[in-house]
Amino acid sequence: MVRAKYQNVLDLGEKLNIQNGDVKEENGVLHVTGTAANQYEKNQLWDAIKAAGGENPNDIMANIEVADSSIYARHTVQSGESLSKIAKHYYKDPMKYNAIFKANSDILKNPDVIQVGQELIIPNL
């Protein structure tokens, strides 16, 4: 029953390719472990847990590690995106675009010029 409640979390874990993932159900509590690639992916999992179980669910115990804590995320530029749009997506603040620009100064020379397919580092703030 509790596994079905959190099936969207488990599906997201598969989609994100969470490493060393393990899921067990004991006494009505779902125990989930694994390693996310970065903090953003870990946050996505926690958001999904909260969406299914509320702000402080007591029927799931999750221990999600982060493989690379030196960055917040990696992002591949899609058509129609700008650094401010990307900043709004990750940080909820389009004005933080300059942090992304600085973190990628080796491949970006102008914050107004990004190319589809470029892989950008989204830094920790």
Side-chain angles (χ1 to χ4, degrees):
M1 174 97 169
V2 73
R3 187 181 190 105
K5 178 180 177 181
Y6 291 102
Q7 188 60 50
N8 65 327
V9 176
L10 303 178
D11 292 344
L12 178 60
E14 284 187 28
K15 179 182 171 193
L16 296 175
N17 196 26
I18 298 301
Q19 299 298 302
N20 307 315
D22 189 39
V23 179
K24 294 180 207 155
E25 189 175 340
E26 295 175 347
N27 302 318
V29 177
L30 196 64
H31 296 268
V32 180
T33 60
T35 303
N38 53 55
Q39 186 63 45
Y40 178 70
E41 290 183 1
K42 179 179 178 176
N43 290 355
Q44 286 183 293
L45 286 170
W46 278 108
D47 289 346
I49 289 170
K50 291 176 188 176
E55 197 62 33
N56 293 304
N58 58 6
D59 56 354
I60 186 168
M61 298 293 295
N63 182 11
I64 310 298
E65 303 290 328
V66 174
D68 184 356
S69 60
S70 68
I71 63 167
Y72 185 64
R74 292 188 184 277
H75 179 85
T76 302
V77 176
Q78 303 297 312
S79 178
E81 289 185 322
S82 64
L83 288 184
S84 60
K85 184 175 180 179
I86 295 167
K88 183 174 182 181
H89 173 78
Y90 288 100
Y91 304 132
K92 311 294 187 248
D93 183 352
M95 298 310 292
K96 296 202 187 285
Y97 74 90
N98 206 35
I100 299 171
F101 176 66
K102 286 180 183 176
N104 293 280
S105 62
D106 57 329
I107 60 170
L108 300 177
K109 302 305 173 211
N110 180 331
D112 296 323
V113 180
I114 60 175
Q115 303 296 319
V116 171
Q118 284 179 313
E119 185 173 295
L120 303 177
I121 293 171
I122 309 302
N124 292 309
L125 293 181

